Amino acid sequence: MQFTFQCKKKRCNFRNSNAAPFPEQGEHYHGVFTGLSVEIADTTQAKLLHDSGCYGKGSKSRGGPASGDEDETLLLGLEESCFLAFYLEVLDIKNLSGTSLGWEEFLKAAKDLNERFVENLACYLYLKSKNWVIKSGIKFGGDFLIYKQSPRHFHASFLVIVQTPADLDYYQPKNLKGVQRVAETSDKDVLLLTVVRPKEDDSKLATPEALKDISVTETIVRRFNYSSFVQSKQK
């Protein structure tokens, strides 16, 4: 049976469905690392960045900064902040003291918050290379949610789980079934991304380009539905 992923469109009044997947050339943004995320306080920059690839979420809104409050900011996750700052080079990140953070400083701070940050970042880059719009999947018990286009227009197609060969027990079968049931209730499939690092030596991650030696393989988890299988064969 041929696999087709869910791509369910939302009922909405937004007409601009062809939002650019990346920030516009020539634009530059300034953010502050708060210890949990990178915050963009400038309202113009916040709106522009969110509209150019759906990055971040509003501090007072479910999606982009849309509350209308002047003090609403744009909150960027660790992976997307790293992607914008050190791969696209359109974001400057400073700490609360006003000191700019380079690659090594940001990597250390991110790993202090999440010991699996390098694996998550490798998967983020892998998915971004396929033009997915990526959001946090913590609400559904995963690492990421990925969308065909803007979450304003489409529901997420996959709930993404990141794992490594060293922790194959990270998701026991019974736990995976639970995650799968949660995903199915909202028309999502589960995408397992397995990250393989050449060596567990973070001293080799001296530059952003060092992640090219990390490989990512994908496995789509879906329950076999006999009724759907029979119907597909009868068509």
Side-chain angles (χ1 to χ4, degrees):
M1 182 171 61
Q2 185 179 4
F3 174 79
T4 56
F5 65 85
Q6 301 283 348
C7 189
K8 189 175 180 181
K9 198 167 185 178
K10 291 182 178 179
R11 295 180 181 179
C12 62
N13 297 322
F14 298 106
R15 294 184 180 181
N16 181 20
S17 60
N18 296 318
F22 301 105
E24 296 181 8
Q25 292 184 352
E27 293 293 339
H28 212 80
Y29 307 91
H30 303 277
V32 175
F33 179 61
T34 63
L36 294 175
S37 63
V38 173
E39 185 175 29
I40 296 180
D42 185 278
T43 54
T44 302
Q45 286 196 349
K47 185 179 186 308
L48 183 60
L49 181 56
H50 185 267
D51 291 344
S52 301
C54 303
Y55 297 97
K57 70 173 294 295
S59 58
K60 296 184 177 181
S61 307
R62 291 183 60 188
S67 70
D69 294 348
E70 293 183 357
D71 60 342
E72 183 173 23
T73 60
L74 184 69
L75 305 178
L76 299 172
L78 297 177
E79 293 83 11
E80 58 187 348
S81 298
C82 191
F83 174 68
L84 291 168
F86 304 110
Y87 291 91
L88 296 187
E89 297 182 345
V90 298
L91 174 66
D92 288 331
I93 303 176
K94 295 184 178 181
N95 59 21
L96 293 173
S97 301
T99 305
S100 295
L101 296 180
W103 163 257
E104 292 184 351
E105 293 84 4
F106 185 83
L107 183 64
K108 181 180 183 303
K111 289 186 62 183
D112 287 342
L113 288 172
N114 179 8
E115 62 181 11
R116 301 171 64 90
F117 173 73
V118 173
E119 288 78 8
N120 284 10
L121 177 60
C123 291
Y124 185 95
L125 298 174
Y126 173 80
L127 294 169
K128 209 63 183 173
S129 71
K130 296 177 178 292
N131 288 331
W132 287 103
V133 173
I134 308 170
K135 293 294 182 183
S136 171
I138 191 171
K139 180 179 178 181
F140 293 90
D143 293 292
F144 301 113
L145 291 174
I146 56 176
Y147 301 76
K148 176 185 177 182
Q149 290 182 15
S150 169
R152 285 183 174 182
H153 304 278
F154 288 88
H155 294 282
S157 297
F158 290 98
L159 173 63
V160 180
I161 305 294
V162 177
Q163 64 177 12
T164 68
D167 57 11
L168 288 180
D169 59 344
Y170 186 63
Y171 270 94
Q172 295 287 347
K174 64 177 182 179
N175 297 334
L176 186 58
K177 279 187 176 182
V179 172
Q180 188 179 22
R181 286 183 178 275
V182 171
E184 284 182 351
T185 58
S186 52
D187 291 332
K188 299 173 183 59
D189 289 308
V190 175
L191 178 62
L192 286 178
L193 294 183
T194 304
V195 182
V196 179
R197 298 175 61 178
K199 290 183 179 179
E200 297 297 326
D201 184 4
D202 288 344
S203 64
K204 296 183 179 297
L205 299 177
T207 63
E209 291 74 20
L211 267 73
K212 68 181 181 180
D213 296 327
I214 297 177
S215 65
V216 179
T217 58
E218 60 181 52
T219 304
I220 297 172
V221 181
R222 175 182 280 186
R223 287 194 303 165
F224 179 74
N225 189 316
Y226 181 77
S227 298
S228 299
F229 175 75
V230 172
Q231 291 174 5
S232 67
K233 290 297 182 180
Q234 291 175 346
K235 292 182 180 179

